[in-house]
PDB file of all heavy atoms in Angstrom:
ATOM      1  N   CYS B   4      -7.266  -5.283   8.961  1.00  0.00           N
ATOM      2  CA  CYS B   4      -8.130  -5.484   7.799  1.00  0.00           C
ATOM      3  C   CYS B   4      -8.120  -6.965   7.452  1.00  0.00           C
ATOM      4  O   CYS B   4      -7.197  -7.684   7.808  1.00  0.00           O
ATOM      5  CB  CYS B   4      -7.708  -4.617   6.621  1.00  0.00           C
ATOM      6  SG  CYS B   4      -6.075  -4.934   5.984  1.00  0.00           S
ATOM      7  N   LYS B   5      -9.168  -7.390   6.759  1.00  0.00           N
ATOM      8  CA  LYS B   5      -9.329  -8.804   6.452  1.00  0.00           C
ATOM      9  C   LYS B   5      -8.877  -9.171   5.044  1.00  0.00           C
ATOM     10  O   LYS B   5      -8.903 -10.329   4.668  1.00  0.00           O
ATOM     11  CB  LYS B   5     -10.793  -9.201   6.629  1.00  0.00           C
ATOM     12  CG  LYS B   5     -11.250  -9.078   8.061  1.00  0.00           C
ATOM     13  CD  LYS B   5     -12.680  -9.500   8.208  1.00  0.00           C
ATOM     14  CE  LYS B   5     -13.088  -9.354   9.664  1.00  0.00           C
ATOM     15  NZ  LYS B   5     -14.439  -9.808   9.892  1.00  0.00           N
ATOM     16  N   ASP B   6      -8.501  -8.172   4.242  1.00  0.00           N
ATOM     17  CA  ASP B   6      -8.166  -8.457   2.849  1.00  0.00           C
ATOM     18  C   ASP B   6      -6.951  -7.643   2.423  1.00  0.00           C
ATOM     19  O   ASP B   6      -7.031  -6.775   1.562  1.00  0.00           O
ATOM     20  CB  ASP B   6      -9.372  -8.159   1.959  1.00  0.00           C
ATOM     21  CG  ASP B   6      -9.353  -8.941   0.669  1.00  0.00           C
ATOM     22  OD1 ASP B   6      -8.317  -9.565   0.362  1.00  0.00           O
ATOM     23  OD2 ASP B   6     -10.373  -8.936  -0.035  1.00  0.00           O
ATOM     24  N   VAL B   7      -5.825  -7.951   3.020  1.00  0.00           N
ATOM     25  CA  VAL B   7      -4.578  -7.234   2.771  1.00  0.00           C
ATOM     26  C   VAL B   7      -4.146  -7.387   1.315  1.00  0.00           C
ATOM     27  O   VAL B   7      -3.642  -6.450   0.704  1.00  0.00           O
ATOM     28  CB  VAL B   7      -3.457  -7.772   3.695  1.00  0.00           C
ATOM     29  CG1 VAL B   7      -2.216  -6.924   3.606  1.00  0.00           C
ATOM     30  CG2 VAL B   7      -3.926  -7.864   5.131  1.00  0.00           C
ATOM     31  N   SER B   8      -4.371  -8.564   0.734  1.00  0.00           N
ATOM     32  CA  SER B   8      -3.834  -8.875  -0.581  1.00  0.00           C
ATOM     33  C   SER B   8      -4.718  -8.428  -1.746  1.00  0.00           C
ATOM     34  O   SER B   8      -4.319  -8.555  -2.901  1.00  0.00           O
ATOM     35  CB  SER B   8      -3.577 -10.386  -0.695  1.00  0.00           C
ATOM     36  OG  SER B   8      -4.780 -11.105  -0.518  1.00  0.00           O
ATOM     37  N   ASN B   9      -5.877  -7.888  -1.468  1.00  0.00           N
ATOM     38  CA  ASN B   9      -6.766  -7.420  -2.526  1.00  0.00           C
ATOM     39  C   ASN B   9      -6.224  -6.125  -3.128  1.00  0.00           C
ATOM     40  O   ASN B   9      -5.829  -5.209  -2.416  1.00  0.00           O
ATOM     41  CB  ASN B   9      -8.164  -7.178  -1.948  1.00  0.00           C
ATOM     42  CG  ASN B   9      -9.187  -6.795  -2.984  1.00  0.00           C
ATOM     43  OD1 ASN B   9      -8.912  -6.741  -4.167  1.00  0.00           O
ATOM     44  ND2 ASN B   9     -10.379  -6.523  -2.517  1.00  0.00           N
ATOM     45  N   SER B  10      -6.231  -6.033  -4.446  1.00  0.00           N
ATOM     46  CA  SER B  10      -5.709  -4.823  -5.089  1.00  0.00           C
ATOM     47  C   SER B  10      -6.792  -3.790  -5.387  1.00  0.00           C
ATOM     48  O   SER B  10      -6.469  -2.680  -5.799  1.00  0.00           O
ATOM     49  CB  SER B  10      -4.978  -5.189  -6.380  1.00  0.00           C
ATOM     50  OG  SER B  10      -5.849  -5.864  -7.256  1.00  0.00           O
ATOM     51  N   PHE B  11      -8.063  -4.097  -5.159  1.00  0.00           N
ATOM     52  CA  PHE B  11      -9.170  -3.170  -5.429  1.00  0.00           C
ATOM     53  C   PHE B  11      -9.314  -2.240  -4.231  1.00  0.00           C
ATOM     54  O   PHE B  11      -9.999  -2.526  -3.264  1.00  0.00           O
ATOM     55  CB  PHE B  11     -10.446  -3.963  -5.685  1.00  0.00           C
ATOM     56  CG  PHE B  11     -11.588  -3.188  -6.288  1.00  0.00           C
ATOM     57  CD1 PHE B  11     -11.425  -1.938  -6.840  1.00  0.00           C
ATOM     58  CD2 PHE B  11     -12.849  -3.762  -6.337  1.00  0.00           C
ATOM     59  CE1 PHE B  11     -12.492  -1.251  -7.415  1.00  0.00           C
ATOM     60  CE2 PHE B  11     -13.920  -3.100  -6.899  1.00  0.00           C
ATOM     61  CZ  PHE B  11     -13.745  -1.842  -7.436  1.00  0.00           C
ATOM     62  N   LYS B  12      -8.598  -1.089  -4.310  1.00  0.00           N
ATOM     63  CA  LYS B  12      -8.526  -0.180  -3.169  1.00  0.00           C
ATOM     64  C   LYS B  12      -8.595   1.267  -3.636  1.00  0.00           C
ATOM     65  O   LYS B  12      -8.147   1.616  -4.720  1.00  0.00           O
ATOM     66  CB  LYS B  12      -7.230  -0.384  -2.394  1.00  0.00           C
ATOM     67  CG  LYS B  12      -7.116  -1.749  -1.744  1.00  0.00           C
ATOM     68  CD  LYS B  12      -5.813  -1.909  -0.999  1.00  0.00           C
ATOM     69  CE  LYS B  12      -5.790  -3.265  -0.323  1.00  0.00           C
ATOM     70  NZ  LYS B  12      -4.561  -3.956  -0.484  1.00  0.00           N
ATOM     71  N   LEU B  13      -9.147   2.103  -2.761  1.00  0.00           N
ATOM     72  CA  LEU B  13      -9.198   3.547  -2.968  1.00  0.00           C
ATOM     73  C   LEU B  13      -8.309   4.187  -1.917  1.00  0.00           C
ATOM     74  O   LEU B  13      -8.476   3.921  -0.724  1.00  0.00           O
ATOM     75  CB  LEU B  13     -10.637   4.054  -2.832  1.00  0.00           C
ATOM     76  CG  LEU B  13     -10.858   5.558  -2.919  1.00  0.00           C
ATOM     77  CD1 LEU B  13     -10.495   6.079  -4.312  1.00  0.00           C
ATOM     78  CD2 LEU B  13     -12.306   5.899  -2.581  1.00  0.00           C
ATOM     79  N   TYR B  14      -7.362   5.011  -2.352  1.00  0.00           N
ATOM     80  CA  TYR B  14      -6.367   5.597  -1.454  1.00  0.00           C
ATOM     81  C   TYR B  14      -6.483   7.114  -1.414  1.00  0.00           C
ATOM     82  O   TYR B  14      -6.869   7.755  -2.395  1.00  0.00           O
ATOM     83  CB  TYR B  14      -4.944   5.283  -1.948  1.00  0.00           C
ATOM     84  CG  TYR B  14      -4.580   3.834  -1.957  1.00  0.00           C
ATOM     85  CD1 TYR B  14      -4.704   3.083  -3.111  1.00  0.00           C
ATOM     86  CD2 TYR B  14      -4.072   3.218  -0.814  1.00  0.00           C
ATOM     87  CE1 TYR B  14      -4.335   1.749  -3.137  1.00  0.00           C
ATOM     88  CE2 TYR B  14      -3.700   1.889  -0.840  1.00  0.00           C
ATOM     89  CZ  TYR B  14      -3.846   1.157  -1.999  1.00  0.00           C
ATOM     90  OH  TYR B  14      -3.480  -0.160  -2.019  1.00  0.00           O
ATOM     91  N   ASN B  15      -6.045   7.685  -0.303  1.00  0.00           N
ATOM     92  CA  ASN B  15      -5.775   9.115  -0.231  1.00  0.00           C
ATOM     93  C   ASN B  15      -4.547   9.335  -1.105  1.00  0.00           C
ATOM     94  O   ASN B  15      -3.488   8.770  -0.851  1.00  0.00           O
ATOM     95  CB  ASN B  15      -5.501   9.508   1.224  1.00  0.00           C
ATOM     96  CG  ASN B  15      -5.023  10.923   1.358  1.00  0.00           C
ATOM     97  OD1 ASN B  15      -4.027  11.328   0.769  1.00  0.00           O
ATOM     98  ND2 ASN B  15      -5.732  11.688   2.157  1.00  0.00           N
ATOM     99  N   GLY B  16      -4.695  10.139  -2.153  1.00  0.00           N
ATOM    100  CA  GLY B  16      -3.627  10.310  -3.128  1.00  0.00           C
ATOM    101  C   GLY B  16      -2.339  10.845  -2.528  1.00  0.00           C
ATOM    102  O   GLY B  16      -1.251  10.356  -2.843  1.00  0.00           O
ATOM    103  N   ASP B  17      -2.441  11.861  -1.662  1.00  0.00           N
ATOM    104  CA  ASP B  17      -1.226  12.439  -1.072  1.00  0.00           C
ATOM    105  C   ASP B  17      -0.494  11.428  -0.204  1.00  0.00           C
ATOM    106  O   ASP B  17       0.730  11.320  -0.256  1.00  0.00           O
ATOM    107  CB  ASP B  17      -1.567  13.691  -0.258  1.00  0.00           C
ATOM    108  CG  ASP B  17      -2.006  14.856  -1.137  1.00  0.00           C
ATOM    109  OD1 ASP B  17      -1.629  14.880  -2.329  1.00  0.00           O
ATOM    110  OD2 ASP B  17      -2.730  15.731  -0.622  1.00  0.00           O
ATOM    111  N   ALA B  18      -1.255  10.670   0.601  1.00  0.00           N
ATOM    112  CA  ALA B  18      -0.631   9.658   1.464  1.00  0.00           C
ATOM    113  C   ALA B  18       0.054   8.593   0.623  1.00  0.00           C
ATOM    114  O   ALA B  18       1.185   8.189   0.912  1.00  0.00           O
ATOM    115  CB  ALA B  18      -1.682   9.030   2.376  1.00  0.00           C
ATOM    116  N   LEU B  19      -0.599   8.160  -0.434  1.00  0.00           N
ATOM    117  CA  LEU B  19      -0.038   7.121  -1.296  1.00  0.00           C
ATOM    118  C   LEU B  19       1.212   7.610  -2.028  1.00  0.00           C
ATOM    119  O   LEU B  19       2.233   6.926  -2.074  1.00  0.00           O
ATOM    120  CB  LEU B  19      -1.091   6.663  -2.303  1.00  0.00           C
ATOM    121  CG  LEU B  19      -0.734   5.499  -3.202  1.00  0.00           C
ATOM    122  CD1 LEU B  19      -0.375   4.256  -2.394  1.00  0.00           C
ATOM    123  CD2 LEU B  19      -1.883   5.205  -4.148  1.00  0.00           C
ATOM    124  N   ARG B  20       1.153   8.824  -2.557  1.00  0.00           N
ATOM    125  CA  ARG B  20       2.302   9.359  -3.300  1.00  0.00           C
ATOM    126  C   ARG B  20       3.498   9.657  -2.397  1.00  0.00           C
ATOM    127  O   ARG B  20       4.624   9.760  -2.871  1.00  0.00           O
ATOM    128  CB  ARG B  20       1.896  10.612  -4.075  1.00  0.00           C
ATOM    129  CG  ARG B  20       1.094  10.311  -5.332  1.00  0.00           C
ATOM    130  CD  ARG B  20       0.830  11.569  -6.136  1.00  0.00           C
ATOM    131  NE  ARG B  20      -0.081  12.473  -5.444  1.00  0.00           N
ATOM    132  CZ  ARG B  20      -1.405  12.433  -5.537  1.00  0.00           C
ATOM    133  NH1 ARG B  20      -1.990  11.538  -6.309  1.00  0.00           N
ATOM    134  NH2 ARG B  20      -2.154  13.287  -4.878  1.00  0.00           N
ATOM    135  N   SER B  21       3.282   9.763  -1.101  1.00  0.00           N
ATOM    136  CA  SER B  21       4.392  10.042  -0.183  1.00  0.00           C
ATOM    137  C   SER B  21       5.262   8.814   0.077  1.00  0.00           C
ATOM    138  O   SER B  21       6.351   8.929   0.632  1.00  0.00           O
ATOM    139  CB  SER B  21       3.854  10.575   1.154  1.00  0.00           C
ATOM    140  OG  SER B  21       3.264   9.530   1.915  1.00  0.00           O
ATOM    141  N   LEU B  22       4.796   7.645  -0.327  1.00  0.00           N
ATOM    142  CA  LEU B  22       5.510   6.400  -0.057  1.00  0.00           C
ATOM    143  C   LEU B  22       6.595   6.134  -1.094  1.00  0.00           C
ATOM    144  O   LEU B  22       6.436   6.446  -2.267  1.00  0.00           O
ATOM    145  CB  LEU B  22       4.534   5.224  -0.053  1.00  0.00           C
ATOM    146  CG  LEU B  22       3.347   5.305   0.893  1.00  0.00           C
ATOM    147  CD1 LEU B  22       2.448   4.089   0.699  1.00  0.00           C
ATOM    148  CD2 LEU B  22       3.800   5.440   2.329  1.00  0.00           C
ATOM    149  N   THR B  23       7.686   5.535  -0.652  1.00  0.00           N
ATOM    150  CA  THR B  23       8.705   5.017  -1.557  1.00  0.00           C
ATOM    151  C   THR B  23       8.500   3.513  -1.625  1.00  0.00           C
ATOM    152  O   THR B  23       8.699   2.811  -0.632  1.00  0.00           O
ATOM    153  CB  THR B  23      10.123   5.346  -1.045  1.00  0.00           C
ATOM    154  OG1 THR B  23      10.240   6.761  -0.939  1.00  0.00           O
ATOM    155  CG2 THR B  23      11.182   4.802  -1.977  1.00  0.00           C
ATOM    156  N   LEU B  24       8.071   3.034  -2.780  1.00  0.00           N
ATOM    157  CA  LEU B  24       7.713   1.626  -2.937  1.00  0.00           C
ATOM    158  C   LEU B  24       8.821   0.866  -3.641  1.00  0.00           C
ATOM    159  O   LEU B  24       9.331   1.304  -4.667  1.00  0.00           O
ATOM    160  CB  LEU B  24       6.403   1.515  -3.716  1.00  0.00           C
ATOM    161  CG  LEU B  24       5.220   2.230  -3.059  1.00  0.00           C
ATOM    162  CD1 LEU B  24       4.014   2.235  -3.988  1.00  0.00           C
ATOM    163  CD2 LEU B  24       4.880   1.603  -1.716  1.00  0.00           C
ATOM    164  N   LYS B  25       9.192  -0.282  -3.093  1.00  0.00           N
ATOM    165  CA  LYS B  25      10.328  -1.067  -3.595  1.00  0.00           C
ATOM    166  C   LYS B  25       9.922  -2.408  -4.210  1.00  0.00           C
ATOM    167  O   LYS B  25      10.633  -2.930  -5.058  1.00  0.00           O
ATOM    168  CB  LYS B  25      11.303  -1.347  -2.448  1.00  0.00           C
ATOM    169  CG  LYS B  25      11.758  -0.107  -1.709  1.00  0.00           C
ATOM    170  CD  LYS B  25      13.030   0.378  -2.272  1.00  0.00           C
ATOM    171  CE  LYS B  25      13.530   1.545  -1.412  1.00  0.00           C
ATOM    172  NZ  LYS B  25      14.299   2.465  -2.174  1.00  0.00           N
ATOM    173  N   CYS B  26       8.812  -2.999  -3.747  1.00  0.00           N
ATOM    174  CA  CYS B  26       8.438  -4.339  -4.198  1.00  0.00           C
ATOM    175  C   CYS B  26       8.127  -4.350  -5.690  1.00  0.00           C
ATOM    176  O   CYS B  26       7.652  -3.352  -6.238  1.00  0.00           O
ATOM    177  CB  CYS B  26       7.238  -4.848  -3.406  1.00  0.00           C
ATOM    178  SG  CYS B  26       7.634  -5.178  -1.679  1.00  0.00           S
ATOM    179  N   ASN B  27       8.385  -5.488  -6.325  1.00  0.00           N
ATOM    180  CA  ASN B  27       8.196  -5.589  -7.766  1.00  0.00           C
ATOM    181  C   ASN B  27       7.035  -6.472  -8.181  1.00  0.00           C
ATOM    182  O   ASN B  27       6.620  -6.439  -9.330  1.00  0.00           O
ATOM    183  CB  ASN B  27       9.474  -6.097  -8.432  1.00  0.00           C
ATOM    184  CG  ASN B  27      10.515  -5.013  -8.501  1.00  0.00           C
ATOM    185  OD1 ASN B  27      10.213  -3.869  -8.815  1.00  0.00           O
ATOM    186  ND2 ASN B  27      11.742  -5.365  -8.185  1.00  0.00           N
ATOM    187  N   ASN B  28       6.523  -7.258  -7.289  1.00  0.00           N
ATOM    188  CA  ASN B  28       5.461  -8.177  -7.649  1.00  0.00           C
ATOM    189  C   ASN B  28       4.184  -7.792  -6.912  1.00  0.00           C
ATOM    190  O   ASN B  28       4.034  -6.664  -6.473  1.00  0.00           O
ATOM    191  CB  ASN B  28       5.907  -9.611  -7.361  1.00  0.00           C
ATOM    192  CG  ASN B  28       7.129  -9.966  -8.208  1.00  0.00           C
ATOM    193  OD1 ASN B  28       7.093  -9.906  -9.426  1.00  0.00           O
ATOM    194  ND2 ASN B  28       8.235 -10.289  -7.554  1.00  0.00           N
ATOM    195  N   PHE B  29       3.274  -8.719  -6.771  1.00  0.00           N
ATOM    196  CA  PHE B  29       2.005  -8.401  -6.122  1.00  0.00           C
ATOM    197  C   PHE B  29       2.161  -8.066  -4.650  1.00  0.00           C
ATOM    198  O   PHE B  29       1.250  -7.526  -4.031  1.00  0.00           O
ATOM    199  CB  PHE B  29       1.001  -9.540  -6.330  1.00  0.00           C
ATOM    200  CG  PHE B  29       0.535  -9.641  -7.753  1.00  0.00           C
ATOM    201  CD1 PHE B  29       1.069 -10.585  -8.597  1.00  0.00           C
ATOM    202  CD2 PHE B  29      -0.409  -8.754  -8.249  1.00  0.00           C
ATOM    203  CE1 PHE B  29       0.656 -10.663  -9.920  1.00  0.00           C
ATOM    204  CE2 PHE B  29      -0.830  -8.817  -9.564  1.00  0.00           C
ATOM    205  CZ  PHE B  29      -0.299  -9.781 -10.402  1.00  0.00           C
ATOM    206  N   ASP B  30       3.341  -8.334  -4.074  1.00  0.00           N
ATOM    207  CA  ASP B  30       3.572  -7.967  -2.678  1.00  0.00           C
ATOM    208  C   ASP B  30       3.613  -6.456  -2.475  1.00  0.00           C
ATOM    209  O   ASP B  30       3.579  -5.972  -1.352  1.00  0.00           O
ATOM    210  CB  ASP B  30       4.838  -8.623  -2.127  1.00  0.00           C
ATOM    211  CG  ASP B  30       6.083  -8.361  -2.964  1.00  0.00           C
ATOM    212  OD1 ASP B  30       5.966  -7.905  -4.124  1.00  0.00           O
ATOM    213  OD2 ASP B  30       7.189  -8.647  -2.466  1.00  0.00           O
ATOM    214  N   ILE B  31       3.617  -5.690  -3.559  1.00  0.00           N
ATOM    215  CA  ILE B  31       3.567  -4.238  -3.437  1.00  0.00           C
ATOM    216  C   ILE B  31       2.229  -3.802  -2.820  1.00  0.00           C
ATOM    217  O   ILE B  31       2.147  -2.776  -2.154  1.00  0.00           O
ATOM    218  CB  ILE B  31       3.819  -3.535  -4.800  1.00  0.00           C
ATOM    219  CG1 ILE B  31       4.166  -2.048  -4.569  1.00  0.00           C
ATOM    220  CG2 ILE B  31       2.642  -3.708  -5.744  1.00  0.00           C
ATOM    221  CD1 ILE B  31       4.724  -1.355  -5.802  1.00  0.00           C
ATOM    222  N   VAL B  32       1.188  -4.618  -3.009  1.00  0.00           N
ATOM    223  CA  VAL B  32      -0.127  -4.325  -2.436  1.00  0.00           C
ATOM    224  C   VAL B  32      -0.036  -4.312  -0.904  1.00  0.00           C
ATOM    225  O   VAL B  32      -0.551  -3.408  -0.247  1.00  0.00           O
ATOM    226  CB  VAL B  32      -1.167  -5.354  -2.937  1.00  0.00           C
ATOM    227  CG1 VAL B  32      -2.495  -5.188  -2.248  1.00  0.00           C
ATOM    228  CG2 VAL B  32      -1.322  -5.264  -4.447  1.00  0.00           C
ATOM    229  N   GLU B  33       0.654  -5.298  -0.355  1.00  0.00           N
ATOM    230  CA  GLU B  33       0.848  -5.345   1.101  1.00  0.00           C
ATOM    231  C   GLU B  33       1.842  -4.276   1.549  1.00  0.00           C
ATOM    232  O   GLU B  33       1.670  -3.675   2.617  1.00  0.00           O
ATOM    233  CB  GLU B  33       1.338  -6.733   1.529  1.00  0.00           C
ATOM    234  CG  GLU B  33       0.313  -7.833   1.343  1.00  0.00           C
ATOM    235  CD  GLU B  33       0.350  -8.502  -0.022  1.00  0.00           C
ATOM    236  OE1 GLU B  33       1.164  -8.122  -0.874  1.00  0.00           O
ATOM    237  OE2 GLU B  33      -0.456  -9.417  -0.239  1.00  0.00           O
ATOM    238  N   GLU B  34       2.881  -4.045   0.758  1.00  0.00           N
ATOM    239  CA  GLU B  34       3.871  -3.018   1.092  1.00  0.00           C
ATOM    240  C   GLU B  34       3.192  -1.663   1.286  1.00  0.00           C
ATOM    241  O   GLU B  34       3.519  -0.929   2.229  1.00  0.00           O
ATOM    242  CB  GLU B  34       4.931  -2.917  -0.005  1.00  0.00           C
ATOM    243  CG  GLU B  34       5.972  -1.838   0.266  1.00  0.00           C
ATOM    244  CD  GLU B  34       6.926  -1.605  -0.891  1.00  0.00           C
ATOM    245  OE1 GLU B  34       6.665  -2.056  -2.031  1.00  0.00           O
ATOM    246  OE2 GLU B  34       7.957  -0.935  -0.663  1.00  0.00           O
ATOM    247  N   ILE B  35       2.250  -1.341   0.423  1.00  0.00           N
ATOM    248  CA  ILE B  35       1.550  -0.063   0.538  1.00  0.00           C
ATOM    249  C   ILE B  35       0.840   0.040   1.880  1.00  0.00           C
ATOM    250  O   ILE B  35       0.967   1.043   2.585  1.00  0.00           O
ATOM    251  CB  ILE B  35       0.556   0.127  -0.630  1.00  0.00           C
ATOM    252  CG1 ILE B  35       1.315   0.327  -1.945  1.00  0.00           C
ATOM    253  CG2 ILE B  35      -0.379   1.300  -0.356  1.00  0.00           C
ATOM    254  CD1 ILE B  35       0.435   0.276  -3.186  1.00  0.00           C
ATOM    255  N   LEU B  36       0.094  -0.994   2.267  1.00  0.00           N
ATOM    256  CA  LEU B  36      -0.630  -0.948   3.539  1.00  0.00           C
ATOM    257  C   LEU B  36       0.310  -0.847   4.733  1.00  0.00           C
ATOM    258  O   LEU B  36       0.056  -0.087   5.672  1.00  0.00           O
ATOM    259  CB  LEU B  36      -1.527  -2.178   3.689  1.00  0.00           C
ATOM    260  CG  LEU B  36      -2.754  -2.232   2.803  1.00  0.00           C
ATOM    261  CD1 LEU B  36      -3.520  -3.515   3.058  1.00  0.00           C
ATOM    262  CD2 LEU B  36      -3.639  -1.022   3.009  1.00  0.00           C
ATOM    263  N   ILE B  37       1.381  -1.613   4.698  1.00  0.00           N
ATOM    264  CA  ILE B  37       2.347  -1.591   5.805  1.00  0.00           C
ATOM    265  C   ILE B  37       2.969  -0.206   5.938  1.00  0.00           C
ATOM    266  O   ILE B  37       3.069   0.348   7.036  1.00  0.00           O
ATOM    267  CB  ILE B  37       3.427  -2.673   5.595  1.00  0.00           C
ATOM    268  CG1 ILE B  37       2.800  -4.070   5.723  1.00  0.00           C
ATOM    269  CG2 ILE B  37       4.585  -2.494   6.571  1.00  0.00           C
ATOM    270  CD1 ILE B  37       3.663  -5.187   5.156  1.00  0.00           C
ATOM    271  N   LYS B  38       3.355   0.393   4.826  1.00  0.00           N
ATOM    272  CA  LYS B  38       3.988   1.717   4.877  1.00  0.00           C
ATOM    273  C   LYS B  38       2.993   2.815   5.213  1.00  0.00           C
ATOM    274  O   LYS B  38       3.340   3.768   5.921  1.00  0.00           O
ATOM    275  CB  LYS B  38       4.723   1.999   3.568  1.00  0.00           C
ATOM    276  CG  LYS B  38       5.990   1.154   3.451  1.00  0.00           C
ATOM    277  CD  LYS B  38       6.786   1.458   2.217  1.00  0.00           C
ATOM    278  CE  LYS B  38       8.107   0.690   2.246  1.00  0.00           C
ATOM    279  NZ  LYS B  38       8.920   0.940   1.048  1.00  0.00           N
ATOM    280  N   LEU B  39       1.750   2.702   4.759  1.00  0.00           N
ATOM    281  CA  LEU B  39       0.736   3.684   5.162  1.00  0.00           C
ATOM    282  C   LEU B  39       0.504   3.629   6.661  1.00  0.00           C
ATOM    283  O   LEU B  39       0.398   4.661   7.322  1.00  0.00           O
ATOM    284  CB  LEU B  39      -0.597   3.423   4.425  1.00  0.00           C
ATOM    285  CG  LEU B  39      -0.728   3.930   3.017  1.00  0.00           C
ATOM    286  CD1 LEU B  39      -2.060   3.488   2.412  1.00  0.00           C
ATOM    287  CD2 LEU B  39      -0.584   5.440   2.943  1.00  0.00           C
ATOM    288  N   LYS B  40       0.425   2.408   7.209  1.00  0.00           N
ATOM    289  CA  LYS B  40       0.239   2.248   8.652  1.00  0.00           C
ATOM    290  C   LYS B  40       1.407   2.869   9.410  1.00  0.00           C
ATOM    291  O   LYS B  40       1.215   3.576  10.400  1.00  0.00           O
ATOM    292  CB  LYS B  40       0.092   0.778   9.013  1.00  0.00           C
ATOM    293  CG  LYS B  40      -0.141   0.539  10.504  1.00  0.00           C
ATOM    294  CD  LYS B  40      -0.301  -0.926  10.784  1.00  0.00           C
ATOM    295  CE  LYS B  40      -0.675  -1.202  12.207  1.00  0.00           C
ATOM    296  NZ  LYS B  40       0.327  -0.888  13.179  1.00  0.00           N
ATOM    297  N   ARG B  41       2.623   2.633   8.940  1.00  0.00           N
ATOM    298  CA  ARG B  41       3.812   3.186   9.587  1.00  0.00           C
ATOM    299  C   ARG B  41       3.786   4.716   9.552  1.00  0.00           C
ATOM    300  O   ARG B  41       4.118   5.368  10.542  1.00  0.00           O
ATOM    301  CB  ARG B  41       5.067   2.659   8.908  1.00  0.00           C
ATOM    302  CG  ARG B  41       6.345   3.074   9.616  1.00  0.00           C
ATOM    303  CD  ARG B  41       7.574   2.497   8.980  1.00  0.00           C
ATOM    304  NE  ARG B  41       7.704   3.007   7.630  1.00  0.00           N
ATOM    305  CZ  ARG B  41       8.335   2.400   6.643  1.00  0.00           C
ATOM    306  NH1 ARG B  41       8.888   1.233   6.829  1.00  0.00           N
ATOM    307  NH2 ARG B  41       8.393   2.934   5.441  1.00  0.00           N
ATOM    308  N   GLU B  42       3.362   5.311   8.430  1.00  0.00           N
ATOM    309  CA  GLU B  42       3.282   6.768   8.317  1.00  0.00           C
ATOM    310  C   GLU B  42       2.260   7.332   9.300  1.00  0.00           C
ATOM    311  O   GLU B  42       2.477   8.374   9.893  1.00  0.00           O
ATOM    312  CB  GLU B  42       2.904   7.170   6.888  1.00  0.00           C
ATOM    313  CG  GLU B  42       3.994   6.946   5.878  1.00  0.00           C
ATOM    314  CD  GLU B  42       5.214   7.835   6.094  1.00  0.00           C
ATOM    315  OE1 GLU B  42       5.028   9.036   6.386  1.00  0.00           O
ATOM    316  OE2 GLU B  42       6.342   7.324   5.977  1.00  0.00           O
ATOM    317  N   ILE B  43       1.122   6.653   9.446  1.00  0.00           N
ATOM    318  CA  ILE B  43       0.087   7.116  10.359  1.00  0.00           C
ATOM    319  C   ILE B  43       0.579   7.074  11.796  1.00  0.00           C
ATOM    320  O   ILE B  43       0.296   7.969  12.587  1.00  0.00           O
ATOM    321  CB  ILE B  43      -1.185   6.253  10.199  1.00  0.00           C
ATOM    322  CG1 ILE B  43      -1.813   6.509   8.822  1.00  0.00           C
ATOM    323  CG2 ILE B  43      -2.186   6.527  11.299  1.00  0.00           C
ATOM    324  CD1 ILE B  43      -2.864   5.509   8.423  1.00  0.00           C
TER     325      ILE B  43
END
């Protein structure tokens, strides 16, 4: 994807809720994509 850092995103709710998110700042936006990719 060309816009990893953009926070304007629509997610599959179940996939998103399955993640354990640790980041505290805006890097959580990238953490979500990285972990979704890993789950897939």
